[in-house]
Amino acid sequence: MDRKQRKISVAVIVLALIAWLISPLFFSAPEPALPLSQAPLLFNASRAYQLTSEFPSRVLGSLESRQSTGYLRDYLQNLGYEIGYSHFDARIAGKKQVGRNVLAGKKGRSTDILALVAHFDTALTTVQGAMKNGAAVGVLLEMARVFTQSPAQRSLLLCLSDGGEWGALGAREVADRYPERDRIVAVLSLDYVALDNLAAFRLEETGQLKGFSPSWLRALARRAAEAHGLPVTEPSLLRVHFERALMISRADHGPFLRAGIPAINLGSSSTEPAREALVYHSALDTPENLKIASIEKYGLAAERILRSLDELPSVPRDSSDSFRLWDSLSLKPKAVPALHLLSFSPLPLIFYFYLINNRRRLSLVQIGREALAYATTLLPLPAIYLSISLFRARHLIPLYSLYPATGRDPGLENPPWGVLVGILGIALFVAIIGYAAAKFSFRSLPKPDCRVSKLVSLGFLLITAAFALAYNSYWASAFLMLPSWIWAMTGYSTSAAGRLKNRILILAAGIPYYLALRIIDSEFVIAGNLIWYQILALNTGLYTASGYFLWAATAALGIRFLAIQGHKISS
């Protein structure tokens, strides 16, 4: 690009950034300030703690798990609830298991249903799973007693779900197949009462592969929780963007959001984060680490949220697509995809400038050469996907129904190195064969021109961006916006130092990917087994094929933009 074109391109990028910065002035709306319940709260933390202490290990499909469902049934039945079970099949490390949810219902004056959900199963590596998630089950059971003392206006569904550690499988069964799911107007999921003193409540709002908590429910839950003397931590603006790009839910609210049912998860964090991390999913996670005062704060917050939902004259039906900015301010639903689209406006403009500047250099031979170079760069990444399918067919990769092995699970922490080497070896073999084939094909072709090569690569980037926007505009904005700006604007240099600087810039465009991997590593306690977790996630379908191939197309383009820096500039 010449100087004038570069200035125009920079100006368009700046305008896109300004549009994001000023969008709250024109396209924001306050979250609804729905009334909070002022009814007296009846939650008894000592009772909830006692209920938590009575639970054994509850691994999905185990004898102890079935015994626990009997205990849960008897307890709720004695309180006058109508009891039912729902069963589902699950694959855990390749073995078929049958999960069982305990469902307890109580009719109210309204046919609307409020659902309160907590998963009772534990990870393989713990014994009692008090923090994750026995204490929340104790809170739910105490809430069951509370709502017999002071009945709800709306009908109440209490769901003790199984398979929560493996991707909220029980909650997914209820969200998809519960006969009266169309009457469920809101869901409160209880997951994770942290040990020792609570530092804050945590609200989680991302659905399982689809959906977000609506703004009215986020605002109501935040205000109700804050009324009990603790701050409420919600993901930062940037974190929310990444979560909506990845769409990986960590609790039982996720499947309900996927089904279009308003839901939110109430969690918490400890004042002792180092000890909390040590206890998580370990044999140390026993009731002795919990404090009754912490359970009381958590339970009172949950009761106030549920009572506030129950007392609403009508439950809002607002869209869940608004994007929370800060405090109680959100971007309107239609503004977000419009801003995402605007963020990519510099890319077609820069492509046009390159096209008019270099159209005389274009030839089918040069286009074909760059297309072949891109294809051979891309080929090893689909080979990884195919090799995972082949290893799965030979039962060499443990199969899970949805989410891979959880943190500290032997299936995650002891990867089969032969399989890992085999998958990466196949990718390396395909890369070598592709490179050799490309070198052989290029022998009779003219030398590449960096400007033509960049023009063709920009065309591939433009196509990839269009597919990404159609797939998930949050994904496109999070992972492709920065590359589309930096890769498009990075020029050439005849000096080694200049080419090195350009390559550093091109690599820097991958920062969003590195941040996403860091988020996954921290949220799922992968402890360095990141590559194996990605393979398991692809194997189970937690990562969609569309998302993977968009990532592969983007990664291959990044490699091509790096390689182009080594091409010569023809006269």
Side-chain angles (χ1 to χ4, degrees):
M1 292 187 293
D2 60 30
R3 186 184 299 272
K4 180 179 178 181
Q5 291 169 343
R6 182 171 288 276
K7 285 183 177 180
I8 293 172
S9 300
V10 171
V12 173
I13 292 174
V14 171
L15 286 174
L17 288 171
I18 291 174
W20 274 99
L21 292 173
I22 67 173
S23 60
L25 300 176
F26 302 99
F27 304 110
S28 63
E31 292 179 334
L34 299 176
L36 293 183
S37 172
Q38 300 303 316
L41 303 180
L42 307 176
F43 181 82
N44 186 310
S46 297
R47 288 176 183 265
Y49 180 82
Q50 182 61 39
L51 292 165
T52 302
S53 304
E54 294 174 0
F55 274 98
S57 173
R58 307 172 299 281
V59 175
L60 172 65
S62 67
L63 176 61
E64 294 87 354
S65 178
R66 286 305 169 94
Q67 291 171 340
S68 292
T69 61
Y71 170 84
L72 296 169
R73 176 201 62 203
D74 293 344
Y75 181 87
L76 293 166
Q77 204 166 43
N78 289 336
L79 290 174
Y81 287 85
E82 296 180 9
I83 307 300
Y85 291 127
S86 68
H87 297 85
F88 58 92
D89 293 334
R91 288 278 177 185
I92 307 299
K95 295 180 180 179
K96 182 180 177 181
Q97 304 286 1
V98 177
R100 173 189 280 178
N101 298 319
V102 180
L103 305 176
K106 184 177 285 291
K107 291 182 180 179
R109 291 190 291 274
S110 168
T111 57
D112 289 350
I113 296 176
L114 293 176
L116 187 63
V117 186
H119 77 87
F120 66 84
D121 64 302
T122 58
L124 292 168
T125 49
T126 188
V127 178
Q128 289 183 283
M131 180 172 64
K132 188 79 167 66
N133 190 41
V137 173
V139 169
L140 186 148
L141 294 177
E142 169 58 9
M143 294 270 281
R145 184 196 67 82
V146 163
F147 279 92
T148 60
Q149 304 298 312
S150 177
Q153 299 183 57
R154 291 184 165 87
S155 297
L156 197 60
L157 172 66
L158 306 180
C159 176
L160 284 304
S161 67
D162 203 353
E165 294 290 349
W166 310 101
L169 297 178
R172 191 176 177 115
E173 167 72 17
V174 175
D176 290 347
R177 295 185 178 86
Y178 181 63
E180 296 180 295
R181 62 188 178 279
D182 292 341
R183 291 172 46 205
I184 300 176
V185 293
V187 178
L188 175 61
S189 166
L190 306 177
D191 188 16
Y192 205 79
V193 181
L195 53 73
D196 294 329
N197 295 314
L198 298 188
F201 295 116
R202 291 182 58 183
L203 294 180
E204 296 181 46
E205 57 188 54
T206 302
Q208 192 175 83
L209 307 180
K210 182 181 178 183
F212 324 108
S213 299
S215 60
W216 65 265
L217 182 54
R218 293 196 303 261
L220 184 145
R222 184 192 315 116
R223 291 170 54 235
E226 285 173 342
H228 295 279
L230 283 179
V232 175
T233 60
E234 296 175 271
S236 66
L237 189 151
L238 184 62
R239 181 65 172 260
V240 170
H241 215 109
F242 275 113
E243 289 186 355
R244 293 190 175 195
L246 297 170
M247 296 307 301
I248 301 175
S249 169
R250 297 183 60 218
D252 279 355
H253 69 296
F256 291 98
L257 290 174
R258 173 178 168 271
I261 300 170
I264 199 161
N265 184 71
L266 178 66
S268 60
S269 59
S270 172
T271 55
E272 302 289 339
R275 203 165 87 85
E276 181 182 20
L278 178 68
V279 169
Y280 179 80
H281 277 187
S282 77
L284 300 174
D285 188 7
T286 60
E288 290 75 22
N289 294 309
L290 300 172
K291 286 195 173 182
I292 292 179
S294 296
I295 294 175
E296 182 177 44
K297 288 182 179 179
Y298 185 94
L300 290 173
E303 184 183 351
R304 190 176 297 278
I305 292 170
L306 199 62
R307 288 198 182 279
S308 298
L309 288 169
D310 183 52
E311 293 174 11
L312 292 177
S314 62
V315 175
R317 299 288 183 178
D318 297 349
S319 168
S320 66
D321 291 335
S322 62
F323 182 79
R324 182 179 58 81
L325 295 169
W326 51 79
D327 295 333
S328 60
L329 196 67
S330 295
L331 278 179
K332 295 177 181 178
K334 292 183 179 179
V336 181
L339 287 168
H340 289 161
L341 187 62
L342 181 63
S343 300
F344 285 90
S345 58
L347 181 57
L349 177 67
I350 295 171
F351 175 77
Y352 172 74
F353 286 151
Y354 270 90
L355 181 62
I356 61 174
N357 292 344
N358 300 288
R359 61 182 181 273
R360 293 181 180 177
R361 294 184 176 86
L362 272 180
S363 67
L364 289 177
V365 172
Q366 287 282 16
I367 294 172
R369 179 192 178 99
E370 186 57 35
L372 178 60
Y374 176 60
T376 54
T377 305
L378 176 63
L379 201 56
L381 300 175
I384 289 176
Y385 195 86
L386 179 60
S387 63
I388 290 173
S389 300
L390 292 174
F391 279 105
R392 178 176 66 240
R394 295 183 62 85
H395 306 289
L396 296 173
I397 300 180
L399 183 62
Y400 298 84
S401 290
L402 185 60
Y403 281 21
T406 57
R408 293 202 168 96
D409 189 278
L412 178 63
E413 300 210 333
N414 299 288
W417 292 105
V419 173
L420 265 176
V421 171
I423 291 171
L424 299 178
I426 289 171
L428 180 60
F429 175 77
V430 170
I432 292 171
I433 294 298
Y435 178 78
K439 289 291 285 185
F440 179 80
S441 302
F442 291 161
R443 289 189 310 166
S444 58
L445 297 178
K447 296 292 183 182
D449 183 327
C450 66
R451 286 170 292 194
V452 174
S453 295
K454 182 166 183 178
L455 172 60
V456 176
S457 293
L458 284 174
F460 285 130
L461 180 57
L462 193 57
I463 293 169
T464 304
F467 276 107
L469 284 165
Y471 167 69
N472 178 347
S473 66
Y474 283 98
W475 193 100
S477 182
F479 299 124
L480 263 179
M481 183 178 70
L482 197 58
S484 74
W485 293 355
I486 293 179
W487 294 349
M489 290 297 297
T490 302
Y492 323 105
S493 179
T494 56
S495 69
R499 288 194 294 271
L500 176 61
K501 182 194 73 174
N502 290 342
R503 284 173 174 148
I504 290 173
L505 283 173
I506 291 168
L507 288 172
I511 287 174
Y513 287 96
Y514 316 144
L515 288 175
L517 291 175
R518 175 65 186 131
I519 289 172
I520 293 169
D521 185 47
S522 62
E523 287 294 325
F524 291 91
V525 198
I526 296 170
N529 298 301
L530 197 55
I531 294 176
W532 181 235
Y533 188 88
Q534 310 309 309
I535 290 172
L536 290 175
L538 284 169
N539 188 51
T540 63
L542 175 61
Y543 295 161
T544 64
S546 299
Y548 176 76
F549 283 106
L550 281 170
W551 168 81
T554 306
L557 279 168
I559 295 170
R560 287 307 307 153
F561 278 106
L562 287 170
I564 288 168
Q565 287 295 318
H567 292 179
K568 293 182 178 179
I569 304 175
S570 62
S571 58

